[in-house]
Every structure is written in C-alpha cells, then in structure tokens.
C-alpha cells in the first residue's frame, strides 16, 4: 500500500469489510520494511463484530527478549470511543488507564517504559478493555533474539466478554 500512497508508510490503519456472502478476513503484518526484505510475519483472524467489553489473556514487556506489546483499538463508530483498560498483573495490583479513540479511527496503545503505559516493566499481564462505543480489539507482541530486533512476533484478536 505504501507504494500506492507514501502516506500509508508505517501508518496504523483498520479496515471494515462488508460482504453479501461469507468471506474470510485476516490481518497480516510483515517486517522488516521495505519488501522484499521481509523475514518475519504474523496474522490473526478478523473479528466478526465490534463490542464494548473485551479480554486479552497475554501481554509481555521487557525481560531478556525485550518484549514489546501493543493493544490495538479500532473504532468503526461515528462517535469517539472512551476506552478503559484494566491491566491485570501477575504481581502487583491491577490498574486502569483511559484512552479516547476518535470516530472511525484506530489507536495503538504501546506498553512499557517510555510509552502510553510506563507502569509496566519486565512483566507479564492480561487486560480487560471496556468502551462506551462498540470497538474491535487486538494484541500484537514482539520479541528480540540476540541482536535481532523483532526476531519474532504474534498477534491475537481479543475475546469478546458478556
């Protein structure tokens, strides 16, 4: 896409797919940039619907592999979404952060020192995400190996909760 429009280079985007017949949709990411130097990738299935309450079982930040985690929030609605994320730590008390995702926009929450969530460092966590507007939620996580940055990565769609 960035070859078609340079403004899309390293841009956070989301896509809404509507079809009259069943389709299969996934989000795939390849790196490093630019192609054809890609050597790593991850993919996750699209969500079938937006919701107001989501759970993520896994996130990591720091450690020997310098994990980086992002919570990806997509708001397909015509109004801003006010989102609360409760971070569920393995040790230490849970805490919450709030974010506003503009109407029809995507927002990435980066986690770890010097990011949107500096409270988490060298630990594993889960997250409970609630919103006043239906949104879509996904998690992307990357790890280094030796001197190779982002030697591995994974993504997962959040689980809708009642």
């Amino acid at each position: 896409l960035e070859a078609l429009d340079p403004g899309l280079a390293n841009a956070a985007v989301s896509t809404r797919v509507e079809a009259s017949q069943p389709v299969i949709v996934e989000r795939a990411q390849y790196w490093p940039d630019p192609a054809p130097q890609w050597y790593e990738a991850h993919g996750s299935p699209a969500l079938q619907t937006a919701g107001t309450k989501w759970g993520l079982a896994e996130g990591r930040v720091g450690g020997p592999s310098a994990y980086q985690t992002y919570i990806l929030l997509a708001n397909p609605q015509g109004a801003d979404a006010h989102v609360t994320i409760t971070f569920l730590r393995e040790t230490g008390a849970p805490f919450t952060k709030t974010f506003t995702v503009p109407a029809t926009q995507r927002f990435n929450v980066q986690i770890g020192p010097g990011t949107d969530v500096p409270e988490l460092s060298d630990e594993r966590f889960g997250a409970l995400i609630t919103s006043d507007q239906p949104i879509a939620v996904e998690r992307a996580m990357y790890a280094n190996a030796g001197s190779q940055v982002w030697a591995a990565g994974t993504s997962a769609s959040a689980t809708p909760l009642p």
Side-chain angles (χ1 to χ4, degrees), residues 9-159:
N10 298 312
V13 299
S14 61
T15 304
R16 182 181 200 150
V17 176
E18 296 180 15
S20 61
Q21 295 292 318
V23 296
I24 296 174
V25 179
E26 72 171 339
R27 181 180 85 88
Q29 181 173 330
Y30 305 90
W31 66 90
D33 222 9
Q37 297 158 341
W38 298 332
Y39 62 83
E40 186 59 85
H42 64 63
S44 57
L47 294 163
Q48 293 184 14
T49 187
T52 58
K53 190 172 183 182
W54 298 92
L56 287 168
E58 180 186 29
R60 278 186 174 182
V61 62
S65 296
Y67 279 94
Q68 296 177 32
T69 297
Y70 301 81
I71 296 177
L72 315 174
L73 309 170
N75 178 8
Q77 308 306 318
D80 290 355
H82 302 95
V83 179
T84 299
I85 302 176
T86 301
F87 292 92
L88 308 167
R89 306 166 94 169
E90 284 189 330
T91 59
F95 66 93
T96 62
K97 301 283 273 191
T98 58
F99 302 93
T100 299
V101 184
T104 67
Q105 300 285 317
R106 179 177 137 171
F107 182 75
N108 298 340
V109 179
Q110 186 176 3
I111 300 160
T115 70
D116 299 314
V117 187
E119 296 87 346
L120 294 174
S121 177
D122 296 322
E123 59 187 299
R124 295 183 296 196
F125 60 91
L128 173 65
I129 300 96
T130 58
S131 174
D132 66 348
Q133 298 288 327
I135 61 172
V137 180
E138 182 183 16
R139 187 264 306 136
M141 187 166 57
Y142 306 96
N144 301 347
S147 62
Q148 182 64 54
V149 176
W150 281 21
T154 181
S155 62
S157 299
T159 300

